Amino acid sequence: MINMSMIIFLISLFLMMIASIISKKTFMDREKNSPFECGFDPKNSARLPFSLQFFLIAVIFLIFDVEIALLLPLIMIMKMTNIMLWMTISFFFLFILLIGLYHEWNQGALNWNK
């Protein structure tokens, strides 16, 4: 088992080394690395600045979206478990979510007009 995995590892390593040696992308040139604008030198940088506030809002949305996906199975579990245990777990989970939302609000991460 170990011998076979070692042989596979060595073959894949060998193929990667051969591919990087033969590759045509190893040649670096100023003209090839610069962005193309109808044959002229570019006036501005090819990279646009990205708003950090937008990124933060997107990450917060993603976190709360995953939390919603964790809340949905609680509805199906409600029929199969003790109602007091279910309510305790649900309220505890919602309490943690509300604390996180309050913390984000308190830090100013939800302010759009900065």
Side-chain angles (χ1 to χ4, degrees):
M1 182 73 178
I2 294 175
N3 291 337
M4 184 60 92
S5 58
M6 192 66 160
I7 291 171
I8 292 171
F9 175 74
L10 289 175
I11 290 173
S12 62
L13 185 66
F14 177 72
L15 288 175
M16 285 190 290
M17 286 175 47
I18 294 295
S20 67
I21 291 171
I22 297 175
S23 175
K24 293 181 181 181
K25 294 188 182 230
T26 57
F27 180 66
M28 295 295 221
D29 187 16
R30 180 182 174 273
E31 296 298 322
K32 293 261 186 193
N33 290 333
S34 67
F36 180 71
E37 287 186 11
C38 301
F40 299 106
D41 285 332
K43 293 181 181 178
N44 298 335
S45 174
R47 303 189 191 279
L48 297 174
F50 189 73
S51 171
L52 189 60
Q53 184 71 23
F54 176 75
F55 177 73
L56 188 61
I57 293 293
V59 168
I60 291 171
F61 173 77
L62 182 66
I63 290 170
F64 281 106
D65 194 39
V66 169
E67 290 168 351
I68 295 281
L70 291 174
L71 280 173
L72 288 176
L74 284 177
I75 299 168
M76 300 303 272
I77 294 172
M78 183 174 70
K79 296 177 183 177
M80 296 180 243
T81 186
N82 182 3
I83 193 70
M84 287 303 291
L85 180 65
W86 179 83
M87 285 179 60
T88 306
I89 292 171
S90 300
F91 284 132
F92 183 69
F93 189 70
L94 287 173
F95 182 70
I96 291 172
L97 293 182
L98 288 174
I99 288 174
L101 179 63
Y102 175 73
H103 177 70
E104 293 296 329
W105 187 9
N106 197 21
Q107 293 293 322
L110 301 178
N111 259 348
W112 279 86
N113 54 3
K114 278 188 180 178

